[in-house]
Amino acid sequence: MKTLLKNSIAVICLMVFSIAVSASRMNPPARKIKLGFIPLTDCAPLVAAKELGLFAKYGVDVELSKEASWANIRDKVLNGELDGAHCLFSMPLSVYTGIGGKAGSEMKIAMVLNNNGQAITLSKDFCGLVGYKEMNKVAAAIKDVKTKKEVTFAMTFPGGTHDIWLRNWLAAAGVNQKSVGIITIPPPQMVANMRVDNMEGFSVGEPWNGVAAAQNVGFTHIASQDIWQHHPEKALVVNSKFAAEEREDLKKVMKAIIEACKWLDNMGNRKKAASWLTKPYYVNAPLQVIEARLLGSSDLGCDLGVQKYKGDYMTFYNNGVVNTPRKSHAMWFLAQYVRFGYLKAEPSYKAIAEKLILDDLFAEVAKEMSVPVQVDMKPFKTTYDVVFDPANIDDYLKATKK
């Protein structure tokens, strides 16, 4: 009897095990999706989606990976070590055209994460020579500082958004970009490099402009939204194979991030967001600096007082305006590469934009979430430049300041 009982139990255990194995094969555990980010305030949509449990809500297992530089992000997205990342909107364009990587390498732009919230910081050499948004004094100030030392400015990636804001600023101020040095420094290293006099100015995202002012290393001269109000800044950029083969999972990731963007644009939630971002495993910068600039308040430094932005502080959703990835914006960045001499010949503007921007995918996600899709391929104007018409880029390049 005991032998029969033991054999019966053994058979039952074997059957249960077989059923469990079969079930696991039919429903394998979800693959972990890995998203990279750079320690900047505008990585907030990824952080909020993780901390609020939104990735889990939409049925995806996402791991966030803090990266050291945009070049790291580029390499890991291209080789598949990262499925996607918080990334400069224009970086896939720079890489594809051979400016910031191997020409023809494809990184796909799935959606925009934020508008606004970057700045140009000048060192204390410029204190008293030029103030906040005093564009008419920039050329003379640079000339004055050049009597004492070489003037060098830093940005974060060739052809990236910070690079293009810097070059637009120089052009608007009437400064020949070839008359100053322009170097590449990763965002978290900007303040330390300015402190040891490696550069006289830098173009970067928050909180590093705020940190420079708080530590009396430099001052905020102009914000990126002063150069182009509501400009595209960071994007969710993804590996091309992930986009093609795991489309449904990518859509779930996008839905979680869009919900996080909505949450972030409730200003009452921004202090909570700052409390996450200040952590060592995220941005690792002072809470008060992250919080103040997220709330639109910039203590400029150099006794220039506090600038309060209303409506054009860093936005993540803005009633649906932010998140649509627009081909016309991609074409504008490509035109900047021609304007500033990165590309000697004009690229295939529309074809490149269509290849790299996943606007159809975004439209699907937006429809399923009742999020408005923004009108594209219309002329627009940035603050100090002439009108850009994606249907007539040659006229733009003839008229714009180099």
Side-chain angles (χ1 to χ4, degrees):
M1 186 68 179
K2 286 182 180 179
T3 303
L4 180 62
L5 183 60
K6 284 181 182 178
N7 289 342
S8 298
I9 291 171
V11 169
I12 291 168
C13 288
L14 186 60
M15 288 172 64
V16 169
F17 177 75
S18 298
I19 291 167
V21 169
S22 297
S24 69
R25 284 174 180 164
M26 289 170 61
N27 300 293
R31 180 180 77 82
K32 192 178 288 290
I33 294 167
K34 197 170 181 181
L35 301 179
F37 70 93
I38 293 291
L40 289 161
T41 301
D42 51 27
C43 73
L46 274 64
V47 171
K50 184 70 172 177
E51 294 289 340
L52 293 168
L54 297 176
F55 290 128
K57 172 184 171 179
Y58 286 95
V60 280
D61 182 8
V62 170
E63 175 188 343
L64 299 185
S65 175
K66 184 175 180 177
E67 301 297 334
S69 68
W70 293 121
N72 259 35
I73 293 272
R74 173 200 62 203
D75 294 344
K76 291 183 178 182
V77 170
L78 286 173
N79 71 20
E81 189 174 336
L82 292 173
D83 296 295
H86 152 254
C87 189
L88 302 162
F89 176 85
S90 60
M91 195 164 95
L93 306 166
S94 170
V95 172
Y96 186 81
T97 54
I99 296 164
K102 183 182 177 184
S105 300
E106 294 183 22
M107 303 163 70
K108 304 289 188 176
I109 302 169
M111 61 177 283
V112 177
L113 297 176
N114 72 295
N115 292 167
N116 310 326
Q118 322 300 295
I120 291 173
T121 288
L122 298 178
S123 69
K124 290 194 292 181
D125 298 293
F126 287 91
C127 271
L129 298 177
V130 60
Y132 170 68
K133 281 206 312 187
E134 290 184 332
M135 293 294 289
N136 60 332
K137 294 184 178 181
V138 171
I142 289 174
K143 187 175 180 181
D144 186 289
V145 174
K146 283 174 78 171
T147 63
K148 307 175 187 73
K149 62 201 300 194
E150 289 184 17
V151 172
T152 299
F153 296 107
M155 47 76 182
T156 65
F157 189 84
T161 52
H162 302 131
D163 183 20
I164 298 306
W165 309 146
L166 176 66
R167 292 177 193 274
N168 268 261
W169 170 71
L170 289 169
V175 176
N176 185 331
Q177 60 175 342
K178 293 180 181 177
S179 70
V180 296
I182 298 178
I183 61 174
T184 303
I185 300 285
Q189 297 175 26
M190 287 293 191
V191 178
N193 274 273
M194 181 171 277
R195 186 181 287 112
V196 297
D197 208 27
N198 282 345
M199 88 282 269
E200 285 62 56
F202 58 70
S203 173
V204 77
E206 297 301 347
W208 305 114
N209 301 288
V211 170
Q215 294 182 0
N216 197 30
V217 172
F219 65 96
T220 302
H221 162 63
I222 192 169
S224 57
Q225 56 265 38
D226 299 319
I227 296 169
W228 177 3
Q229 190 180 49
H230 304 313
H231 62 82
E233 180 50 42
K234 301 303 185 302
L236 175 66
V237 169
V238 296
N239 172 274
S240 57
K241 186 178 178 183
F242 175 60
E245 297 181 5
E246 299 182 64
R247 185 182 179 89
E248 290 306 311
D249 278 349
L250 175 53
K251 285 172 67 176
K252 291 173 186 176
V253 167
M254 292 166 69
K255 287 175 181 179
I257 291 174
I258 289 171
E259 188 168 330
C261 287
K262 290 181 178 181
W263 184 88
L264 285 162
D265 265 10
N266 177 337
M267 297 303 282
N269 292 330
R270 293 208 171 182
K271 287 189 176 183
K272 182 65 175 175
S275 76
W276 294 328
L277 293 168
T278 191
K279 303 292 185 186
Y281 45 84
Y282 289 135
V283 177
N284 194 26
L287 173 62
Q288 61 270 29
V289 175
I290 295 175
E291 186 179 288
R293 296 217 169 188
L294 256 182
L295 291 168
S297 179
S298 296
D299 187 341
L300 301 172
C302 197
D303 298 321
L304 293 172
V306 175
Q307 171 65 25
K308 293 188 180 294
Y309 288 91
K310 294 182 179 177
D312 60 354
Y313 39 69
M314 188 181 290
T315 55
F316 300 94
Y317 183 69
N318 192 14
N319 298 313
V321 169
V322 173
N323 307 115
T324 303
R326 294 184 226 186
K327 289 180 284 194
S328 58
H329 290 168
M331 293 165 74
W332 182 86
F333 278 102
L334 291 168
Q336 304 310 299
Y337 300 162
V338 177
R339 175 187 180 188
F340 295 123
Y342 271 133
L343 297 178
K344 301 305 178 191
E346 290 191 60
S348 301
Y349 297 103
K350 191 174 181 182
I352 293 171
E354 288 176 344
K355 182 182 286 288
L356 300 182
I357 290 188
L358 302 176
D359 52 339
D360 288 347
L361 178 66
F362 180 82
E364 278 183 37
V365 172
K367 184 177 180 181
E368 290 169 18
M369 294 193 76
S370 300
V371 169
V373 175
Q374 302 305 303
V375 174
D376 198 0
M377 301 305 286
K378 298 289 185 184
F380 60 89
K381 186 183 181 304
T382 62
T383 307
Y384 300 106
D385 201 3
V386 297
V387 171
F388 177 81
D389 183 352
N392 199 348
I393 297 175
D394 284 346
D395 278 2
Y396 166 80
L397 288 171
K398 288 172 187 171
T400 189
K401 289 182 182 178
K402 304 297 191 290

